[in-house]
Amino acid sequence: MSEPAGDSSGTSVRTGETAVLREAVDRLRAEADGLRRAMRSRGVIEQAKGMLTERLGCTPDEAFGHLVQLSQDTNRKLADIAAGLVGIAAPLEDTAADEDIPAPGHVTAPDAVPRRPHDPRPAPPAAARLTPVPGLAARYHLAASALAGAETPEELARLLHEVALAPLGVLAVVLGLLEPDGALALVGSHGVEPRRISQWRRIPPETGVPLVAAAHGGGMVWEFDPDRPGERPPDTGRIVPGRIACAVPLRRGDRIVGAMSLGWEGRADRARAASRYVDALANLAAGHLLRVGAAGDGGPGLEVPGGEYWFRAVLDAMYAPVLVLSAVHRGVDGGPITDLRVGYANAAAGPGPAEGRRLSELHPGLVASGVFERILGAAADGVPYEGCTTDFTRPDTGSAATLSLRAVPFLDGVLLTWRHRGGTAERAARLGEAHRLAGLGGFWWSAGSPGLELSEEALRMLGLDPGRAGPTAPADALACVAPADRPAVRLLARRLLAGQRNATLEVAVGTTGAGPRTVRVTAEALTAPAGGPARTVRGVLQDVTSWHRTEQALTVARARLAEQRRRAGAEHRMTRALQSALMPTPTGPDPAASGLDHAARYLPAGEQPRVGGDWYDLLPLPDGTVLLAVGDVSGHGVAAAVGMAELRHALRALCYTGAGPAAVLGRLNTMLCHQGSRHIASVLCGLLDPAARALVWSAAGHPPPAVLRAGTATLAQGPAGTVLGADRATAYRDSEVALRRGDTVLLWTDGLLNRREGGSGRPEPLLRAAEECGATALADCLDHIAAGLGGPNPADDSCLLAVRLPPAVEPPPGR
């Protein structure tokens, strides 16, 4: 939780609250540690109080006062006084000499296991009797109290060694649990090299290792004793250190659940004399081992996550702190995860024992900051969590710091690691990532240096080994540059050394399978105060290969686009010229057309600099009729213009034969189908007889003509027909419209009405615009219609053609 900037009073208050919380956490942690130590000896003290209360007939408080007085008088610990009194009632050392222990150096086979200590058997000869070891009973009760506080197999092995066995000269303790297949899994140890434990992590049942023999045979197995001359160590090898060693089965009632191996440094006779004590400790440790290291059914369970010693060695080699955490569930039947228990803490996690403790207890600040719930979520959902917190109390210094946390799911828990946010290591890591993503690398040279100091990314950019140590010789760096660019690099270096402040150069480097790469070199020279030659040169290498390739691709694309535009412009100009030559715009009345008034408009597409196949024709014929035609050939460009010219000229030629419009369209359709033309066309062909005031017309996939009479525009009635070039068997039919003086005939192509921005293609808007013209001139009327429909179509060209019959001649006034 970050502090708001500028609020110094609030910051000081929160700092004081953090200090108070930290002191409370430290105090509670110290009290908890003290309670753990006290609970280890609490049991034996209570037993001693009960004995004194019964024998002296006093109250428990008076019995405790007697114990305290004895402790003060003898200057011994209270727990030792209590253990001694309890041990008097059951002195294990009294019967230690009755053991029938094999001689050192003998490995007991499973079928030659010595009888249990409580089995009846004859006493050995007097010469074989061993001197009892005093104080074992008291130590046994101390151990029983201490082992009750163990929470992991490792802690159990440590307490067993330190409290119960170290005073006897035992150097190391190894605990193993039997697995269902008969193998022995080492789950806890103390005093043994991690490498040895890692090598013997799981021992198959068929091996002759004494630890396995004890677990399967049920008796104590002794290993080699170097004090006996002529003896050789067993071929099975040793797990624990020491001059002698023994393996003891771990019993739980009548069942053997595992074995314990001890390494001794003392005399062999002293070790054999404590065998009954060791056997009793083994039975005691078996119950606790099942409690902390086995499943609920009494069989071997999962070990602490990350318990492998090689894995712990890897964690210890890391600079970052790491906690191996296992899940703590609510209830015994696998309820929700309520906490996480530390299975292992590497050296960087801080001093002090952490194994077996809960994360909420070890780092309570995580709970207060809300991060604890997110870490539990990572263990429950299997999704890694990464965040930060400023309320994390370090166990070594007790100081609060802003930390970056990462929790990764691991077995049934998580691996938790953290680092100081904003620290030097994090800033360096982020800077390195930024350099890698940006393709940046640095270099440095100073006078007297044997070569260039290149960053890891710079070495990688030049194709050199990023892991190489020491400076790079200038010749080696120059050899990475393409030969054609080496003179430019030498010139840049000479200019910088001569006093030029900075310089930039792009060179090609490397010859990898992906081709040479382009690197931009930006260098800066640091000159002496007097302005002499440069003493230091530093700079940056930037991989601009992708930019360079993109720039080249853009240059090629621009050139191609310019060429396409040039060709398109030339084609457009040629097509426009062709169209202008084919369709001259008629102006004014034509005397040859019997006084008809006429006008036409060609409207090219508004967006694209290309022309289509739309056309119109107005031609007086020898018989006195006038050809009126409009058409639209599919496609655009030169090909469409050529197709339009062929169709227009063919239609003109057919009309000179005296054939009617339907016959003309039929022959045009036969021509296009026979030629296998790539184009189809819609055409409206009409023959206007001015003398008879009649229009005969036929359509091939084209809308009918419109007649404007006395301010009202209507469509002529007749079949639309099929477009030319689609079906050879199509038959076309003529239709006739009777006209009156002053009527206007209007023809158009569909590009005028079919528009992307909402044109429906229906003729009603065109008819309304025509009605608005009234008796205005035809040229003005066509301009009004085009403007009323939105001007030229942005996506298609269009044509308009209008012919008006002469009006009726009115008699002079007064007649």
Side-chain angles (χ1 to χ4, degrees), residues 37-60:
R37 291 191 297 268
M39 288 302 295
R40 293 175 182 174
S41 56
R42 178 86 178 182
V44 68
I45 293 175
E46 292 297 326
Q47 292 184 48
K49 286 171 56 178
M51 289 176 54
L52 291 179
T53 300
E54 179 185 359
R55 297 187 181 184
L56 300 180
C58 60
T59 65

Side-chain angles (χ1 to χ4, degrees), residues 390-406:
T390 56
D391 193 12
F392 193 107
T393 303
R394 296 182 59 190
D396 52 347
T397 64
S399 61
T402 302
L403 301 177
S404 296
L405 297 169
R406 181 168 177 80

Side-chain angles (χ1 to χ4, degrees), residues 246-271:
C246 70
V248 187
L250 299 178
R251 295 180 179 274
R252 186 63 173 170
D254 295 333
R255 185 167 61 95
I256 297 178
V257 298
M260 174 178 68
S261 182
L262 307 177
W264 304 72
E265 187 60 30
R267 300 193 313 272
D269 58 348
R270 182 176 176 86

Side-chain angles (χ1 to χ4, degrees), residues 169-540:
V170 174
L171 297 177
V173 176
V174 173
L175 299 176
L177 277 174
L178 278 174
E179 295 188 336
D181 60 354
L184 199 69
L186 302 188
V187 296
S189 66
H190 192 261
V192 184
E193 295 181 11
R195 180 178 60 86
R196 297 292 293 170
I197 295 297
S198 179
Q199 294 170 349
W200 294 92
R201 192 64 180 166
R202 188 176 187 274
I203 310 173
E206 61 271 11
T207 60
V209 177
L211 197 63
V212 176
H216 288 277
M220 187 178 297
V221 179
W222 291 85
E223 294 189 57
F224 170 69
D225 182 358
D227 289 338
R228 295 177 61 90
E231 293 282 352
R232 294 180 58 82
D235 295 334
T236 54
R238 298 283 294 276
I239 301 177
V240 293
R243 303 176 66 186
I244 57 177
C246 70
V248 187
L250 299 178
R251 295 180 179 274
R252 186 63 173 170
D254 295 333
R255 185 167 61 95
I256 297 178
V257 298
M260 174 178 68
S261 182
L262 307 177
W264 304 72
E265 187 60 30
R267 300 193 313 272
D269 58 348
R270 182 176 176 86
R272 293 194 302 273
S275 58
R276 186 169 183 269
Y277 170 70
V278 171
D279 193 63
L281 282 177
N283 294 334
L284 179 64
H288 291 296
L289 186 59
L290 292 178
R291 173 177 58 84
V292 299
D297 58 357
L302 290 176
E303 301 171 22
V304 176
E308 294 80 2
Y309 282 85
W310 63 266
F311 182 68
R312 296 187 177 191
V314 171
L315 296 183
D316 286 335
M318 298 176 64
Y319 286 107
V322 179
L323 295 180
V324 182
L325 303 170
S326 59
V328 177
H329 296 272
R330 178 181 299 165
V332 296
D333 54 349
I337 299 177
T338 59
D339 209 333
L340 295 165
R341 191 184 303 278
V342 180
Y344 185 70
N346 71 342
E355 285 83 354
R357 302 181 66 180
R358 298 194 176 196
L359 183 63
S360 59
E361 172 192 352
L362 190 63
H363 298 295
L366 289 178
V367 181
S369 64
V371 177
F372 181 74
E373 294 296 331
R374 306 297 297 273
I375 299 175
L376 292 183
D381 304 334
V383 179
Y385 165 71
E386 187 169 359
C388 64
T389 177
T390 56
D391 193 12
F392 193 107
T393 303
R394 296 182 59 190
D396 52 347
T397 64
S399 61
T402 302
L403 301 177
S404 296
L405 297 169
R406 181 168 177 80
V408 180
F410 181 69
L411 297 181
D412 70 331
V414 296
L415 288 176
L416 179 65
T417 182
W418 63 88
R419 65 182 177 186
H420 288 272
R421 194 166 188 176
T424 303
E426 182 175 9
R427 286 196 298 269
R430 293 187 181 275
L431 183 60
E433 287 295 320
H435 284 176
R436 182 184 61 82
L437 293 174
L440 293 175
F443 66 89
W444 179 280
W445 175 88
S446 59
S449 173
L452 295 169
E453 296 289 344
L454 295 169
S455 69
E456 181 179 342
E457 191 63 29
L459 290 170
R460 186 179 294 107
M461 218 178 296
L462 295 176
L464 300 174
D465 181 12
R468 66 186 299 172
T472 302
D476 294 341
L478 188 62
C480 301
V481 180
D485 293 334
R486 292 174 188 174
V489 175
R490 294 190 183 96
L491 179 61
L492 180 141
R494 285 196 297 269
R495 288 178 176 176
L496 290 173
L497 294 177
Q500 182 173 328
R501 178 65 177 172
N502 48 53
T504 301
L505 178 67
E506 287 190 3
V507 296
V509 300
T511 56
T512 60
R517 306 190 67 80
T518 303
V519 174
R520 179 176 297 159
V521 183
T522 304
E524 177 186 36
L526 304 179
T527 60
R535 303 292 298 171
T536 301
V537 176
R538 62 189 179 189
V540 174

Side-chain angles (χ1 to χ4, degrees), residues 581-631:
L582 293 174
M583 293 185 299
T585 302
T587 58
D590 186 358
S594 303
L596 293 177
D597 188 12
H598 57 276
R601 291 289 184 268
Y602 174 74
L603 305 175
E607 285 183 356
Q608 304 175 357
R610 58 181 182 175
V611 294
D614 289 42
W615 57 275
Y616 64 87
D617 201 357
L618 177 67
L619 176 66
L621 296 176
D623 60 357
T625 60
V626 178
L627 170 65
L628 305 178
V630 291

